[in-house]
Amino acid sequence: MSTGTLLAIIIPIVVVIALAAVAVSLLMRRRHLRERFGPEYERTVEGSDSRLAAERELRERERRHDSLEIKPLPPVSRDRYTREWSSVQEEFVDRPADAVHDADRLVTSLMHERGYPTEGFEQQMKDLSVEHGTTLQHYRAAHEVETLSTRKRATTEQLRGAMVHYRALFDELLSDGGGRAQPAGS
């Protein structure tokens, strides 16, 4: 067999193998992002110009998150937050709108103590999406009601729902979100 014939056989085989490797790599990366971000993956894809752009954004969120010093709460802080949450729930009976504002403040404070930046709602959402993608819709819904409440447009039922939503994220942040947080001091 001549060298030209051998190259004509080998080159297409190498190209097919390389393309297959790239395809498998992309599929594995997509699977990783779907598992890590949960429903936030689809939400980001739907809000983006393309799937590749959305996946690039999600990988950037991962890089930013990895640079943060997210830490578990010491037991003393965990107990304090639990007591504060109980007070906020009790407050709901007499002052539901105030309780929702206090729940928002408490969740933000908890995020800050865990090591999440709290410079703005949209950035909070992006930072939380990496580890808390499954409860992120709760935070989004609670924040919408909190915003309505600020303008005196939320019903008592909406405020009650906001408390339930805040509680979902609060519980997850309090429990270290499944244990992926870094040990203190690392």
Side-chain angles (χ1 to χ4, degrees):
M1 205 182 287
S2 73
T3 303
T5 305
L6 198 53
L7 286 175
I9 294 171
I10 293 174
I11 290 175
I13 290 174
V14 169
V15 168
V16 167
I17 291 172
L19 289 173
V22 167
V24 167
S25 173
L26 288 173
L27 289 174
M28 288 176 63
R29 186 181 309 160
R30 182 168 292 156
R31 181 177 173 209
H32 162 77
L33 291 172
R34 279 187 172 163
E35 288 173 358
R36 183 144 198 205
F37 286 90
E40 187 65 13
Y41 174 88
E42 290 303 327
R43 187 177 193 291
T44 304
V45 168
E46 289 171 9
S48 184
D49 294 336
S50 71
R51 183 174 298 277
L52 289 176
E55 290 176 352
R56 198 171 24 256
E57 148 115 15
L58 294 172
R59 285 192 307 276
E60 180 54 39
R61 289 183 194 183
E62 281 183 315
R63 279 190 287 281
R64 175 179 159 90
H65 185 274
D66 290 346
S67 73
L68 300 175
E69 292 186 36
I70 307 301
K71 56 195 172 290
L73 289 174
V76 169
S77 293
R78 189 182 318 273
D79 292 343
R80 178 176 44 87
Y81 278 106
T82 300
R83 283 190 308 275
E84 286 184 43
W85 183 264
S86 292
S87 294
V88 169
Q89 283 184 305
E90 290 170 11
E91 177 185 26
F92 185 82
V93 174
D94 295 322
R95 296 184 322 276
D98 291 342
V100 168
H101 296 305
D102 288 344
D104 181 68
R105 177 200 50 78
L106 190 59
V107 166
T108 302
S109 175
L110 177 54
M111 287 171 50
H112 180 73
E113 190 165 339
R114 290 281 318 275
Y116 287 98
T118 54
E119 66 255 13
F121 180 72
E122 288 305 316
Q123 189 60 55
Q124 287 175 355
M125 295 295 289
K126 289 177 182 180
D127 291 338
L128 286 170
S129 71
V130 178
E131 293 292 334
H132 305 282
T134 56
T135 54
L136 204 57
Q137 72 272 12
H138 289 289
Y139 190 40
R140 190 175 283 115
H143 183 75
E144 287 175 15
V145 174
E146 199 271 339
T147 301
L148 283 174
S149 176
T150 300
R151 293 182 278 176
K152 310 280 191 241
R153 292 189 172 171
T155 66
T156 303
E157 186 58 26
Q158 287 172 315
L159 294 169
R160 187 198 64 73
M163 291 295 291
V164 170
H165 291 306
Y166 276 126
R167 180 64 190 246
L169 180 60
F170 178 84
D171 285 345
E172 190 168 302
L173 286 167
L174 198 64
S175 70
D176 298 332
R180 292 186 80 167
Q182 302 170 2
S186 40

